[in-house]
Every structure is written in C-alpha cells, then in structure tokens.
Amino acid sequence: MHVSAFKIFFQTGAWLVIAFLVLPILVVLPISFTDTSYIGLPKEGLSLQHYANYFTDPDWLNATWTSVWVGLVVATCASVLGTAFAIGCWFLSDRAAMVARWILITPILVPPVVQSLGFYRFWVKLGLIDTHVGVILAHTLLALPYVSISVFAALSNLDRNLPRAARSLGASVMQTVWAVVVPAARPGIATGFIFAFIVSFDEIVGVLFITVRNVQTLPKMIWEGIQDNIDPTIAAVATLLIVLTLIATAIGVLRRT
Amino acid sequence: MNEPILSIKNAVKRYGPVNALDGVNLDVAEGEFLTLLGPSGSGKTTLLSAIAGFIALDEGQLALRSADITGKPPEHRDFGMVFQGYALFPTMTVRENVGFPLKIRKRSASEIEKRVNEALEMVQMSAFADRMPSQLSGGQQQRIALARAMSFDPQILLLDEPLSALDKKLRADLQWELKDLHQKLGVTFIYVTHDQDEALSMSDRIVILKDGAIQQEGDPNTLYDQPRNRFVADFLGKSNFLEAAVVAGSGASFQCETKGAAFTLDTQTPCREGETITLALRPERLRLGLPGEEFVPGTVKQVSYLGERCQVLVTREGGDEFLVSRPTWKTDITPTPGLQVSIGWDADAPVVLAPA
Ligand SMILES: Nc1ncnc2c1ncn2[C@@H]1O[C@H](COP(=O)(O)OP(=O)(O)OP(=O)(O)O)[C@@H](O)[C@H]1O
Ligand SMILES: [Mg+2]
C-alpha cells in the first residue's frame, strides 16, 4: 500500500540517521577492550590492559587532572563574569544592553579556527603562550556566552518590579541584587557553570594553537595520541568519558522527574 | 489642611515629546486615603514612581513633612509600595517576604518574628506563612504584598492598581479590607487606579489626572456633583452634555434655551446673558415623561436593564442623545424603543462646565 511504503521509507531513514549518529561512538567500546597493542578490534579475547594503563600512566592522569582543574577555574570565572553581565543587562534592559548581549555571544558565532588564531597572535604579545593562565583566559572567553545566555533565560520571566519592590522596602542596589536577583538567577547560573566546564573540558582547537609542551589537556593528549602512536588507551579514555556523561545525564533526568 | 505629610511642587517628567507629568502640584494630608484616578497613559504610575523615588523628576520638588526628599534614593524614603503584579520575591517564603524590610533594617530575630506574625494576622494570612508565593492565589499574593509593605510601619503606603488583576468579586472584598486597614492603621494611602467605582467607594479625596496634569481634585461627592470640566464629568460616572444659550437672568438663576426648549437653571457659576454654555447632566437626574409632560421631546432609542436601575437612551430631533437612568420599580412609563416621550430636569441639576 502506498501509505505503508511511505512509512517504511521514513522509518528506515530514521534508523539510519540514528545509526549514523551513534555507531562512531559505539565503535570505541570494543576497541577499548582489545587485547592488541594497536587500535583494532579484539583478536583472541577481551582485555582491561588499556584501562589499567590509563589509570597508571602519570601522563594520562596529569592531563586529566589539568583538564579538570582548568575546567573548574574556567567555569567559576565564567559564571561570575557572565552572571554579573547578565544581571547588569537585565537591570538596564535598554538598547545598549541589547547591543552588549549580541557582542558577548560572538564567540559562539565566530569559527573556532579564526578565534584561536586571534588568541595566538594576542597571547604571543602578552607572553601567555603555553601557560595555564593563557588557556584559562581563552576558555573563559569561550564559555562566557553560555553562562550569560542561561542566566538571561532564568531572568527573562522575572518581574521587573522586583528590584523596585526591594528598594522601596529599604534595600540598597547591592542588597537587592544579592537578596532578590541572584537567588532567582541561581538555576541559570548552575546550568551555565556546567556548560562552561564542558566547553573548557573538551576544547581543543584553541589549546592546540596556544600551548606547546608545558600545558597538556586531555583532549590534546588524545589528539596527539592518534597522531603519533596508535595506543588503544585513547579508546579506553573515550569509553570512560561516554560512561561518565551517561551517568551525569541519567542523574539529571532522574532528579527532574 | 494641617501641615501636609507629602507635598509635590510643579512636578515635570518628560519622555521625549511626551509630558508624562506636566506640572503637578499636590499636597497629601496625614492619614488620608488619596486616589490618583485617570485613563491609561495619564501619568498615574509616573507620579507614583516619582513619589517612591524610582524615577527622577525633570523639574519640581518633593517634600516629606517639609523636608526636601527630591533626590533621596527609594530605600531611604521609607514608603511602602504595593505593585500591580504583586512583586513578591519568588525565592523567599511568605514569612521571609514579609520580614524582608525588617531584616534589611537589622531588627532582632524576635522582633522580626513578632512583626511578621502581626502583619500576617492583619491580612488574615497567618496560615500561609511557610508557603512559597507561587503556591498562593492572586488575592492571597496581594494580601502578602500588602502585609510586606506595611510590616515596617512606612510613612506612606503607595499602591499602584493593586486590585486590577483580580476578578470582580474578590476585588470588591479586598476594597472593603483595604478601607478597613486604612482606618485601623491610620497610615496615609496614595492609591492609583483607573477604575472610577473603586476610586469613588474608597477615597477620602480623588485627584483626576489627564495627560500628566491634574484636572480636578476633591472628595468623591464634590467631584461627582460638581465636575469642573467635560473630561471630569465624563470620566467619573456618566454624563449627558448639552449646549444651551443663556437668555435672561442674573445672580444664581437664569433662563436658558436649548433648541427651542426653555428651562430654568440655578447655579453658583456666574453666567452672562447671550453666552452659550455647556452643561453636564447626570443620567439619574433626568426625568422621563409622556409627550408634553416635560420640556424636551424625544423618542426612545434603546433600553437596557441593569437590575435595580434601567437605562433609557432617548434621541431628540436634531440628533442629541440623552441617557436617562431610572429605578426599575417606576412603572408610570414602560419605555420601549420607538416610544414618544419627553425629558426634563430640576433647575439645580445641570452643572455648568468650564470652557474647554
Ligand atoms: N519609561 C518610559 N519611556 C517612555 N515613555 C514612558 C515611559 N513611562 C511612561 N511613559 C509615557 O508616559 C505617559 C504616562 O505613563 P504612565 O505609565 O504614568 O501612565 P498610567 O497613567 O500609569 O497608565 P496606565 O493606566 O496604563 O498604567 C504615557 O504616555 C507613557 O507612554
Ligand atoms: Mg500605570
């Protein structure tokens, strides 16, 4: 029948799209358990040797630790600055604030390569090449729009009379911000913090441009791993990251329902 | 008037070409219930915001008990304010909301506790102290907003259309409660509304605004009975307007004529012979009679029953329309569309309006 042919066509299409999205991710799973010493599917049996390698190799552990603490510092800086920016714009809510908002989200619009080139030229001048401060600064700039956008979203439905109410009740501007606006923005700040962390944690283009030896992050180590040795530990790291993401997502979903 | 608690001198506020406030002079007496009444865009919110200190005036001064407060920030004015959208702090419980002004003022925990309980008692919301604002109905939220604005004994309470988001029945209930509270507490209320019934039923004094300027001020009775101009007569209650020529007379009694119908006018407003004047006539002051019984002949155009009263729209030759409001129990005439009737009024019924 005509209708069912139509249906089959679209169902097949939908499954193909899902396979296209998920298979590349799933393929790392068997590779991570391979018993070979190069990237490939398991030959004789499954092995945990590459996981063991990850957890014992100081290079991998150091790179992971760097990504984590850089990510946390970036998320903190971006949350403070982005929240302050969003709350300021919310208070003004005039033309200038609109323009400022657009300017702030340009890091999302500009191609990463172009941006990284900019960082490179600039960081050379400032002497920030291959320093943790340089990476933190660059990542904070990249993560800022995510924080401010999610704080804007949290504030968008907030009654504009709230600050007036607080002031008429005796609160100064600062007290109003602390007691009334920041608590209302808190869900947005939390979301922004997580986003900022993720942005920093898996950022690679910028890191490749502005670091050499001194700073080693997890994405950079994975990248270099594929370049010059075909160590399956990469697959083990990737699998661990996927599992972590799944757990975090599951917790998020469960907490919401 | 004794020394006014608040005095506004020549307040001007411009937004581009718009004069939101156009030279407002107003004295507010201690303890009075003052209503700012006017149509949308007349500058009511602007005036209230200027009093609260949210906006800076372009010209003019504000004084609280003779002390200048023109440039004082809102947090130092000590005026409670109730907003149209309630503006309760969404992340605080009812108790924290009401206690907020006291906490800011660094009162002791025990005093805050005591004052909050009193304030909640006053608005009959004690049972809801630990709820979040989002768990309350509109009317309940408005009560909390009121309790919050009063918990710190403000000098003046400012209310910007506090009831306009509520349904009619609840609005009526809260009107009584507000009036009650005002009497009990003796605090000065400045109340903004565009609802004339609300203004008439609650206020000690009404200020009518239009285009940022005061049209007339006075107690509800005076405003209703002696509107100064056409705008006031039309805005506060309904009015019929009539052009009439002064034919003869002097002092307080004149002979007038309108399109062939002659009548006597008793008024304190000075009139000159030969002058054309505009009169306002309240619908309830008009009498309806059979043809020839009264002095203005006409035809019934429409009738609408409003329960205890019945409104009859009468046209006379030449196109003028008169709205007559009469008690439904009067059965001398049963007005139906097309019926020939006549209209009359007492000599002291018309109000002479100032030329526009
Ligand atoms: N922030 C502003 N920017 C520009 N124009 C404004 C601003 N606030 C008020 N106005 C203008 O000033 C005039 C008075 O406004 P206001 O809000 O005081 O009216 P209102 O009497 O409170 O009306 P409503 O009954 O609709 O609340 C209006 O013409 C309005 O358009
Ligand atoms: Mg208004």
Side-chain angles (χ1 to χ4, degrees), chain A residues 158-159 161-173 175-176 179-180 183-185, chain B residues 49 54-55 73-75 79 81 83 85 87-92 100-101 104-105 148 152:
Chain A
L158 203 62
D159 186 346
N161 276 331
L162 284 178
R164 291 182 157 196
R167 304 240 1 233
S168 76
L169 295 170
S172 67
V173 178
Q175 283 171 318
T176 302
V180 179
Chain B
S49 303
F54 301 142
I55 59 167
E75 60 265 34
F79 298 165
M81 176 136 182
F83 296 84
L88 295 178
F89 305 131
T91 54
M92 298 183 201
F100 181 82
I104 289 286
R105 286 171 174 73
R148 184 180 67 178
F152 61 103

Side-chain angles (χ1 to χ4, degrees), chain B residues 81-101:
Chain B
M81 176 136 182
V82 180
F83 296 84
Q84 184 176 0
Y86 322 130
L88 295 178
F89 305 131
T91 54
M92 298 183 201
T93 63
V94 163
R95 185 184 295 286
E96 288 165 341
N97 262 283
V98 178
F100 181 82

Side-chain angles (χ1 to χ4, degrees), chain A residues 18-28:
Chain A
I18 289 176
F20 181 68
L21 288 175
V22 175
L23 278 182
I25 300 173
L26 289 184
V27 88
V28 301

Side-chain angles (χ1 to χ4, degrees), chain A:
Chain A
M1 218 167 69
H2 181 73
V3 174
S4 84
F6 206 66
K7 203 170 154 188
I8 287 168
F9 176 77
F10 274 106
Q11 271 183 354
T12 317
W15 281 112
L16 279 175
V17 169
I18 289 176
F20 181 68
L21 288 175
V22 175
L23 278 182
I25 300 173
L26 289 184
V27 88
V28 301
L29 198 65
I31 294 175
S32 73
F33 291 108
T34 189
D35 52 352
T36 59
S37 63
Y38 50 87
I39 288 188
L41 292 172
K43 277 239 165 78
E44 266 131 45
L46 299 179
S47 158
L48 284 174
Q49 64 186 78
H50 303 298
Y51 288 90
N53 185 39
Y54 169 72
F55 283 110
T56 50
D57 185 345
D59 285 347
W60 277 110
L61 290 180
N62 277 337
T64 309
W65 172 236
T66 303
S67 278
V68 169
W69 78 257
V70 167
L72 288 177
V73 172
V74 166
T76 308
C77 295
S79 296
V80 170
L81 294 174
T83 303
F85 175 79
I87 288 178
C89 284
W90 184 78
F91 260 91
L92 292 175
S93 69
D94 57 7
R95 231 189 154 70
M98 276 279 288
V99 174
R101 283 175 66 168
W102 276 101
I103 291 175
L104 195 84
I105 63 166
T106 47
I108 295 183
L109 307 176
V110 175
V113 178
V114 176
Q115 190 131 37
S116 302
L117 199 62
F119 284 142
Y120 174 73
R121 300 288 310 248
F122 211 42
W123 273 207
V124 167
K125 286 229 170 74
L126 296 175
L128 288 171
I129 290 292
D130 209 20
T131 62
H132 288 104
V133 175
V135 174
I136 289 169
L137 219 56
H139 283 185
T140 302
L141 285 174
L142 294 175
L144 258 181
Y146 295 91
V147 176
S148 58
I149 284 173
S150 66
V151 175
F152 275 131
L155 292 179
S156 65
N157 287 325
L158 203 62
D159 186 346
R160 300 216 151 262
N161 276 331
L162 284 178
R164 291 182 157 196
R167 304 240 1 233
S168 76
L169 295 170
S172 67
V173 178
M174 277 324 275
Q175 283 171 318
T176 302
V177 169
W178 274 118
V180 179
V181 187
V182 169
R186 202 164 282 154
I189 300 173
T191 314
F193 185 91
I194 293 170
F195 264 102
F197 178 81
I198 294 172
V199 165
S200 164
F201 192 80
D202 76 3
E203 205 281 332
I204 173 122
V205 183
V207 172
L208 288 181
F209 270 77
I210 61 173
T211 67
V212 190
R213 273 264 130 74
N214 215 357
V215 181
Q216 186 69 308
T217 65
L218 194 56
K220 189 177 162 208
M221 183 125 176
I222 294 175
W223 169 252
E224 286 172 353
I226 311 178
Q227 296 273 297
D228 39 54
N229 64 37
I230 34 174
D231 183 359
T233 308
I234 294 164
V237 175
T239 308
L240 285 173
L241 288 179
I242 292 171
V243 171
L244 267 180
T245 313
L246 283 179
I247 292 174
T249 313
I251 291 174
V253 171
L254 283 181
R255 277 191 53 183
R256 209 164 301 159
T257 49

Side-chain angles (χ1 to χ4, degrees), chain B residues 99-163:
Chain B
F100 181 82
L102 302 165
K103 205 175 144 202
I104 289 286
R105 286 171 174 73
K106 303 218 162 55
R107 302 288 168 80
S108 68
S110 58
E111 190 195 339
I112 294 180
E113 165 96 18
K114 182 170 148 275
R115 295 283 211 104
V116 168
N117 289 340
E118 280 169 10
L120 288 175
E121 192 114 356
M122 187 176 71
V123 294
Q124 296 147 38
M125 289 292 290
S126 304
F128 298 87
D130 295 308
R131 294 232 197 147
M132 298 305 282
S134 57
Q135 299 169 314
L136 300 175
S137 72
Q140 291 167 337
Q141 290 187 43
Q142 194 51 281
R143 286 197 171 92
I144 302 303
L146 202 61
R148 184 180 67 178
M150 308 226 278
S151 66
F152 61 103
D153 290 333
Q155 308 253 18
I156 300 177
L157 195 63
L158 310 172
L159 306 101
D160 191 0
E161 310 210 22
L163 307 181

Side-chain angles (χ1 to χ4, degrees), chain B residues 271-285:
Chain B
C271 298
R272 277 178 293 106
E273 248 182 62
E275 180 181 36
T276 302
I277 52 178
T278 306
L279 300 176
L281 277 160
R282 293 291 180 192
E284 64 271 18
R285 300 294 304 264

Side-chain angles (χ1 to χ4, degrees), chain B residues 15 18 20 39-46 161 194:
Chain B
Y15 288 114
V18 180
S40 189
S42 54
K44 309 181 293 290
T45 300
T46 308
E161 310 210 22
H194 62 249

